[in-house]
Amino acid sequence: MPRRNIDITVPDLSGRRAVVTGASDGIGLGLATRLAAAGAQVLLPVRNPRKGEAAVEKIRATVPDADVSPRTLDLASLDSVAALGRTLREEDRPIDLLVNNAGLMTPPRRGTTQDGFELQFGTNHLGHFALVAHLLPLLRAGRARVTSQISVAASRGGINWADPSWERSYDGMRAYRQSKIALGLFGLELARRSAANGWGLTSDLAHPGVAPTNLLGARPEIGRDRRTLGGRVIGALSARGLLFGTVETAGLPALYAATAPDARNGGLYGPSGPGHLGGPPAEQALYPTLRGTEDAQRLWRLSEELTKVTFPVG
């Protein structure tokens, strides 16, 4: 059974503060562990406090002296996002790294956030959009790098401008693609606006390829009581070293995008193997779905309108 020997070197992050969403398991937990091992103080904003504490214990089992702690965040609630923003602003420590990693994929039925948005669009994109807005003073103070985790699924599809919450003709995969395209357009527009307005941030994108993460696993909170067939197939092939990555290798593009000195503002990083499904991380061409600056600006305006949060002008 072939095994992968893929890794990257993470620079010393001593004295840096990092925030990783979705770090209670899977790729996010791996990212948080690697950042802590490099010396960063790592915050884990999670919806479930018990999973947050369990994640802290897992990280310290690997990195005994890790400076890591949980915070409360439900990206499907704009009130929760705002509350975390207030908490961290009160702590008044600059943020050096933010990884917008949390997400969910293809609930079997259409669901909504606490604010009434389609669940994937509201969680994967709008929650992160609002989080960056609330944390902007701290991100600017840290001259932060913001890395947003998108998906190979974002290479196709588009924004359903007429019905972004999919109240008519819901299609779970199309809605998932939209949510990841939206997060990608946001990350790229954040890079442009920071450069134009002197915010001092860098913003880039990453995607994990395809790996047996919990995205397609049993998720009772979204109505999925067992691992999907696709998830089982991906897991079997990954275990044999075929085509797909592992949970560990799938996190490397985001780790590179968040920490590598040469990661480029507005760049996209993903696995470099066949079909960009697995393999070592490398910079990749932007998907055609992400190249429209007019779409990015339109999405920014829509996101401000829906979330009722605004970024400074100029």
Side-chain angles (χ1 to χ4, degrees), residues 19-23 43-47 69-73 84 88 131:
V19 178
V20 183
T21 68
L43 306 185
L44 313 182
V46 296
R47 185 173 57 86
S69 58
R71 298 292 189 276
T72 300
L73 173 66
L84 177 64
L88 296 186
L131 180 64

Side-chain angles (χ1 to χ4, degrees), residues 30-251:
L31 287 168
T33 303
R34 293 295 299 271
L35 295 174
Q41 180 196 55
V42 185
L43 306 185
L44 313 182
V46 296
R47 185 173 57 86
N48 185 323
R50 285 177 295 182
K51 291 185 70 174
E53 293 293 346
V56 168
E57 291 179 9
K58 289 177 183 176
I59 293 171
R60 288 186 176 147
T62 303
V63 187
D65 60 348
D67 185 354
V68 57
S69 58
R71 298 292 189 276
T72 300
L73 173 66
D74 181 357
L75 284 164
S77 164
L78 293 177
D79 285 344
S80 176
V81 174
L84 177 64
R86 286 192 298 272
T87 296
L88 296 186
R89 291 195 307 273
E90 288 169 1
E91 293 178 14
D92 197 26
R93 280 203 55 187
I95 294 172
D96 302 276
L97 301 172
L98 170 62
V99 184
N100 294 323
N101 168 75
L104 52 87
M105 181 178 181
T106 57
R109 292 171 295 280
R110 180 183 180 274
T112 58
T113 69
Q114 291 186 22
D115 303 282
F117 308 120
E118 188 276 320
L119 190 59
Q120 297 175 97
F121 184 58
T123 302
N124 299 352
H125 167 59
L126 292 176
H128 283 120
F129 179 90
L131 180 64
V132 173
H134 288 299
L135 297 182
L136 189 61
L138 303 178
L139 296 168
R140 293 185 65 178
R143 300 189 66 81
R145 184 175 299 179
V146 179
T147 295
S148 297
Q149 185 87 277
I150 62 167
S151 167
V152 293
S155 63
R156 293 185 293 160
I159 305 296
N160 184 3
W161 297 110
D163 184 19
S165 272
W166 296 88
E167 295 179 282
R168 304 180 296 276
S169 303
Y170 175 71
D171 182 303
M173 178 53 75
R174 290 174 66 194
Y176 177 69
R177 289 187 181 122
Q178 170 185 270
S179 73
K180 289 300 188 176
I181 291 169
L183 184 61
L185 289 172
F186 165 56
L188 296 172
E189 185 65 12
L190 181 64
R192 287 188 286 265
R193 293 193 182 213
S194 176
N197 296 321
W199 293 345
L201 315 182
T202 58
S203 175
D204 57 17
L205 309 179
H207 77 83
V210 176
T213 69
N214 68 345
L215 272 182
L216 294 174
R219 299 285 297 273
E221 73 275 15
I222 62 171
R224 186 190 298 135
D225 59 3
R226 67 184 66 184
R227 191 166 189 83
T228 67
L229 174 60
R232 294 196 294 273
V233 170
I234 291 166
L237 292 175
S238 171
R240 291 165 173 76
L242 300 175
L243 191 60
F244 302 125
T246 65
V247 174
E248 292 74 24
T249 65

Side-chain angles (χ1 to χ4, degrees), residues 8-41:
I8 66 170
T9 299
V10 180
D12 181 17
L13 300 175
S14 299
R16 311 284 294 280
R17 188 174 233 210
V19 178
V20 183
T21 68
S24 58
D25 55 25
I27 289 174
L29 178 60
L31 287 168
T33 303
R34 293 295 299 271
L35 295 174
Q41 180 196 55

